[in-house]
Structures are given as structure tokens and as C-alpha cells.
Amino acid sequence: MPQTAKVFLMLGGINAALVVLLGAFGAHGLKERLTAEMLAVYQTGVHYHLFHALGLLAVGLVALHLPASAYLKWSGWLMLAGIVLFSGSLYVLSISGLRWLGMVTPLGGLSFILAWVLFVIAVLKASS
């Protein structure tokens, strides 16, 4: 198995397990501690984390066919950065109430957008 595929499949699996853990923690451990607004913020982090854990798995699967694609590698690393910046900032914001973390969240969103654009470019370049 190509190293790129192995790395992103592993990262996708780790993040999928982590999102289940964090989702359960939010549903059971934070339900009584957070306001409805902050619980919704936390759940948004969980949803985007889940989507992009699956995105990392997609990058890993495509990397089986395109192991040398720099676009694909950047896509995977930007998805991981987006998880940390977007979901991570929402997790910490909801639990801590540190509103300034809301300034970090758009950087994660931008990372997600760029990751998907690079994913598409990698696929388009492979078919030409």
C-alpha cells in the first residue's frame, strides 16, 4: 500500500473514532453543563469533524490510485488542519466560553474548502 494512502486512511480512522468519542461526550457529558446555544456550537464541530474524517478516508482511498499526487496530499493535510482549526475551535469555544476562538474557526472553514477544491483538482488531473 502506498505510504500516502496508509497515512490518510490511518488519520481518517483515528478521526472517525475520535468523533464518536467526542460526540458521545457531548451528548452525555455536556448536555447538562452547556447552554443550548453552546451545545449547538459543539455539535456543529462534531458534524464537520465527522464529514472530514470521512473526507480523510476518501483521500486515502483515492491515494491508492494517485499516490504521487501533490494536490491529493495537500487536500488531506488541509482536511486535517480544518478539523483542528474548525472543529477544535468550536469544541474549546463551547466548553470554555472563550469567544475570541470564533476568529480561528473561519480559518478551519477555509482549510476545508481548499481541501475539497484540491481533491477535485487531483481527480481531474488524473483523468487527463
Side-chain angles (χ1 to χ4, degrees):
M1 176 182 299
Q3 188 64 25
T4 300
K6 189 179 286 190
V7 166
F8 289 113
L9 288 169
M10 179 192 67
L11 288 171
I14 289 168
N15 274 282
L18 188 58
V19 79
V20 171
L21 177 75
L22 290 167
F25 175 67
H28 302 291
L30 297 177
K31 188 175 181 180
E32 302 298 323
R33 294 191 168 136
L34 297 181
T35 65
E37 177 189 0
M38 286 297 108
L39 192 57
V41 168
Y42 186 90
Q43 290 171 341
T44 297
V46 170
H47 287 131
Y48 277 81
H49 192 163
L50 175 59
F51 299 144
H52 291 87
L54 296 174
L56 287 168
L57 292 173
V59 169
L61 291 173
V62 173
L64 290 170
H65 303 283
L66 306 173
S69 172
Y71 292 109
L72 193 61
K73 289 176 190 173
W74 274 104
S75 172
W77 292 119
L78 284 167
M79 279 191 200
L80 184 62
I83 289 169
V84 171
L85 294 171
F86 186 90
S87 295
S89 68
L90 293 180
Y91 295 147
V92 176
L93 166 69
S94 64
I95 293 168
S96 71
L98 298 172
R99 295 270 180 195
W100 64 268
L101 284 168
M103 294 186 306
V104 174
T105 310
L107 296 174
L110 181 59
S111 294
F112 286 150
I113 293 165
L114 291 173
W116 288 111
V117 168
L118 291 175
F119 184 88
V120 170
I121 291 170
V123 171
L124 287 173
K125 286 204 166 276
S127 63
S128 52

